[in-house]
Amino acid sequence: MIYQALVELAKRENLLQDTAFEPKPVHYLLVLGEDGELLEVLEPRDPPPLDARGRPKGRPVPVMRPIPRRSDRTSGDVAEFLVDKAEYVFGIDPKGKMSPGKLSNRRGLFLETIAEASMHLQTSAGLQAVNRFLSKAPPEKILRLLSTEKEADQNALGGALFAFVYQPDGGVACVHDEPAVKEYFRAKREGEKPAIGQCLVTGQSNVALTRLHARPQGIPPRGLTKGGVPLTSANRDAFKSYRLDEIGGAPISREANDAIEFALNRLLHRAYPRPGGGSFARQSIEISLDTVVIYWTAADAVLDFVQGIEASDPEEVAELIRSPHKGHTAPIDDPTDFYALMLSGMTGRAVVRSFLHSTVRDVAVAIDRYRGEARIVRPYEERPGGYPLADIRRALVARGDLDLLPPSLGTELYVDILLGRPFPRAILDAAVRRNRAHDFHSQAARKRGKADFSRLGPRCSLLKAYLNRNLKEEMSVSLNISRTDPPYRLGRLLAAVDKIQQDALGNVNATLVDRYYGAASSTPAAVFPTLLRRLQNHVGKLRRDKTGLAISREKLVQEILDGLETFPTTLGLTDQGVFALGFYHQRQNFFTKKEEDN
């Protein structure tokens, strides 16, 4: 199902026009003259990619160009055709770690491929110029370019691809783009005699089968495997069931394999070049250090809302769900098949963490349902709503460090939202645990010494969605003074006691919340009697300075305590989630409600 859907995508988007060539970032263009002299070194760059919030991230990136299809080399010495790294083109390792003998061998292999091609294509002036350039030692300009002491620059140069441009031809197209050169490479690539059989993906018989399966690039962690990681592999004896070799164990035709690889690369890349010009919209989301979600449909459809839940205001996403776009049906009415694949990279192959097949309509409805469940009052007098998933995931781990987020947790959260199914209990546990660690403030807020409770809001939004969906709790968007259950009231009580301390003392280094939230939410009976005794001191000071405010605060505490006969000894995990919402609702009420006290 996964491979078949990917093959259909590649065919629909015309990704297979020329499978002998593939888009890759080319870092440097070497402009050559008629005699093979180096005239110029160009570094064409595109603007930097955008992060989840739509802001430029990092530096400008090399331009994606169609280049001769890469081999499956890993650690062995294999030269690519006309476009390769410095260690092959010049026999120079910018990192300075490779032996001279190995570098000499690699440059020799690259020279052999060019010499062989120039013998067959003597009419190609560009190819002849490349051959003449390579027959000489690298010029001083190249030596300066590849000489750097910075480790980051060494790593970048070590992975950079170099291509050639023949200046008399106009200095625009690369030598490998010449029609005769392209035809030569296609013929050479197709000259290998493959095994023949039936394709497991398409069902076609008597087709050429591939030995090595698709190795898409871009599956995180990036850089783990430089040549990409396959979704399937059969390179170990343990994988060869029923005595079948790597071809017989999973027979996939060359055409289907190319389609799978091109489709995965297109979905994983931030701006994959579109045949005929332009680039495709991004259709992947990294949800943790080593996990990415890619999604697509069986036909053209509006998918902005899928990316929107990652970084946009959910209320804006609701508008996208209901809006037709350029002749397309609104997502909430679109019956087109929808696919999402969650992948993690490993050394040997990729791990498929989850795969879902639904419709655009059902996914839009599920996302809209989640939006309603997660809708909550927000700080700074904004309209009620939820939070982007990127903010919620960061709120579930210490210091907002997504490297600490378990891949399974991020995957489950995303899949459950798209499918509208109950959330795993691990979601509740993660949110409550971060609350108990009083991890409420962003790192920037801590540096300023000013509380902002920026982490609490996203967690409470998720807690509200969890309680509404899994336990049918019907938690309100904002403060509900009619709720009488102890966990909710105790959360309100802690917020009220903390606010009275702030009213009386102003900003303090460690508030009651910072010191007591964890114990108050899990063992109320051990904390609240002490807090209420100390409260009288703060009320007394407040009564001397602001009498009206002291009276209103005392009335609030009495209203919260009314009907609360005793403090529970302990609160379970679910009750701690309700406690957090009571605390958050009451705290936000202090800032959204107009206060008339003095």
Side-chain angles (χ1 to χ4, degrees):
M1 167 66 80
I2 298 175
Y3 277 175
Q4 290 170 341
L6 289 169
V7 169
E8 291 173 3
L9 172 69
K11 291 180 178 178
R12 187 177 77 249
E13 295 188 338
N14 296 320
L15 302 180
L16 303 177
Q17 290 182 344
D18 192 347
T19 58
F21 290 76
E22 60 181 334
K24 290 289 181 184
V26 176
H27 303 72
Y28 297 97
L29 297 179
L30 307 179
V31 182
L32 305 181
E34 291 185 11
D35 294 328
E37 70 275 19
L38 179 64
L39 303 178
E40 191 176 4
V41 178
L42 302 178
E43 301 180 46
R45 295 291 185 268
D46 279 334
L50 303 179
D51 62 14
R53 296 178 180 275
R55 300 171 299 191
K57 180 181 179 181
R59 301 176 179 179
V61 295
V63 175
M64 293 278 287
R65 298 174 180 272
I67 66 173
R69 190 78 175 271
R70 307 287 84 185
S71 68
D72 295 306
R73 76 180 182 200
T74 52
S75 59
D77 293 351
V78 179
E80 306 294 358
F81 182 63
L82 271 174
V83 182
D84 215 329
K85 296 189 291 186
E87 60 202 61
Y88 282 91
V89 179
F90 309 112
I92 298 174
D93 176 19
K95 302 178 184 179
K97 298 180 179 180
M98 204 169 294
S99 68
K102 194 172 188 66
L103 288 171
S104 176
N105 181 58
R106 291 192 169 185
R107 186 163 195 258
L109 291 173
F110 189 77
L111 290 173
E112 286 179 15
T113 65
I114 303 303
E116 181 183 352
S118 62
M119 286 290 294
H120 285 81
L121 299 172
Q122 296 186 15
T123 58
S124 171
L127 193 58
Q128 299 303 323
V130 173
N131 195 31
R132 285 192 286 270
F133 170 77
L134 293 174
S135 66
K136 297 174 285 188
E140 182 65 26
K141 185 180 294 187
I142 295 298
L143 297 178
R144 288 198 305 269
L145 172 66
L146 298 177
S147 177
T148 177
E149 295 181 358
K150 294 182 179 180
E151 185 177 352
D153 293 340
Q154 291 175 351
N155 292 334
L157 286 167
L161 292 179
F162 293 79
F164 298 93
V165 172
Y166 185 51
Q167 198 274 339
D169 282 347
V172 178
C174 294
V175 174
H176 64 260
D177 289 327
E178 292 182 18
V181 175
K182 294 177 74 172
E183 192 60 38
Y184 166 81
F185 180 72
R186 288 193 199 99
K188 187 173 181 62
R189 184 171 181 268
E190 295 171 0
E192 304 171 1
K193 293 184 178 180
I196 303 297
Q198 183 177 23
C199 177
L200 189 68
V201 177
T202 64
Q204 293 177 306
S205 301
N206 299 318
V207 292
L209 302 179
T210 184
R211 184 180 68 84
L212 296 175
H213 291 181
R215 303 176 66 90
Q217 294 186 328
I219 300 175
R222 298 183 186 277
L224 179 66
T225 304
K226 294 181 180 179
V229 288
L231 268 64
T232 57
S233 63
N235 59 346
R236 295 287 186 274
D237 290 340
F239 303 154
K240 299 175 183 179
S241 303
Y242 302 102
R243 298 182 180 179
L244 296 173
D245 60 12
E246 54 264 37
I247 295 178
I252 298 177
S253 68
R254 282 186 172 182
E255 181 183 7
N257 193 61
D258 288 342
I260 293 164
E261 184 168 317
F262 275 67
L264 287 170
N265 284 336
R266 171 262 189 270
L267 293 170
L268 287 163
H269 198 272
R270 295 176 181 271
Y272 195 85
R274 185 186 291 271
S279 59
F280 289 103
R282 181 184 180 189
Q283 287 180 218
S284 63
I285 300 172
E286 290 189 19
I287 57 177
S288 71
L289 174 68
D290 67 349
T291 303
V292 64
V293 177
I294 59 175
Y295 55 90
W296 69 100
T297 56
D300 290 339
V302 178
L303 293 177
D304 293 351
F305 70 98
V306 182
Q307 190 74 32
I309 64 173
E310 174 68 9
S312 304
D313 186 325
E315 300 304 308
E316 297 174 3
V317 176
E319 297 174 7
L320 292 175
I321 287 173
R322 291 168 172 78
S323 301
H325 182 66
K326 294 182 180 179
H328 288 281
T329 304
I332 204 163
D333 298 319
D334 192 342
T336 303
D337 284 349
F338 175 92
Y339 307 95
L341 181 63
M342 291 72 174
L343 298 170
S344 291
M346 301 291 284
T347 303
R349 66 178 180 86
V351 174
V352 177
R353 294 201 173 274
S354 187
F355 173 69
L356 66 90
H357 176 204
S358 184
T359 65
V360 174
R361 177 178 54 213
D362 289 346
V363 170
V365 169
I367 288 177
D368 199 44
R369 174 191 172 190
Y370 165 75
R371 178 192 65 86
E373 293 169 335
R375 196 166 180 265
I376 197 169
V377 61
R378 296 182 291 186
Y380 314 117
E381 299 183 358
E382 296 178 0
R383 59 179 176 173
Y387 291 83
L389 280 183
D391 291 348
I392 288 178
R393 287 199 300 271
R394 280 191 288 269
L396 293 178
V397 289
R399 303 180 301 280
D401 185 357
L402 288 179
D403 292 359
L404 303 176
L405 183 72
S408 58
L409 188 64
T411 302
E412 279 291 326
L413 175 61
Y414 199 88
V415 171
D416 293 342
I417 289 174
L418 295 188
L419 293 180
R421 67 189 186 191
F423 296 111
R425 191 171 175 82
I427 293 289
L428 175 65
D429 178 68
V432 167
R433 193 180 335 113
R434 294 316 312 157
N435 283 342
R436 284 205 304 262
H438 52 81
D439 179 19
F440 301 143
H441 318 298
S442 68
Q443 189 173 5
R446 288 188 183 278
K447 288 181 179 179
R448 294 194 306 266
K450 183 177 180 181
D452 64 358
F453 284 74
S454 58
R455 301 267 170 79
L456 181 62
R459 280 198 296 271
C460 284
S461 173
L462 183 60
L463 283 170
K464 177 177 176 287
Y466 179 92
L467 294 169
N468 283 343
R469 179 176 297 191
N470 289 42
L471 304 177
K472 313 300 181 186
E473 279 279 349
E474 298 184 4
M475 303 300 297
S476 59
V477 172
S478 57
L479 180 63
N480 183 1
I481 61 174
S482 64
R483 283 193 71 119
T484 59
D485 51 315
Y488 190 80
R489 287 200 167 213
L490 290 171
R492 291 184 59 198
L493 181 59
L494 180 63
V497 172
D498 181 66
K499 188 67 170 71
I500 292 173
Q501 183 201 47
Q502 293 179 39
D503 292 337
L505 304 180
N507 291 331
V508 293
N509 290 332
T511 67
L512 291 176
V513 171
D514 291 330
R515 296 173 61 187
Y516 293 108
Y517 182 94
S521 64
S522 56
T523 55
V527 174
F528 277 105
T530 301
L531 291 180
L532 292 179
R533 284 196 300 271
R534 295 179 179 178
L535 176 66
Q536 299 309 311
N537 296 329
H538 302 318
V539 172
K541 184 179 186 307
L542 192 60
R543 192 179 290 116
R544 291 192 298 271
D545 300 336
K546 299 179 180 180
T547 305
L549 183 58
I551 293 173
S552 67
R553 295 290 190 246
E554 282 188 295
K555 286 182 178 179
L556 174 62
V557 171
Q558 290 301 321
E559 178 264 316
I560 294 173
L561 288 171
D562 185 32
L564 193 63
E565 298 179 356
T566 183
F567 294 112
T569 304
T570 60
L571 292 180
L573 205 59
T574 300
D575 286 340
Q576 290 180 52
V578 176
F579 178 99
L581 283 167
F583 171 80
Y584 179 77
H585 281 161
Q586 183 64 65
R587 186 179 183 283
Q588 292 307 313
N589 186 255
F590 286 129
F591 300 101
T592 57
K593 180 181 177 182
K594 183 177 179 180
E595 300 191 24
E596 299 177 353
D597 21 68
N598 298 316

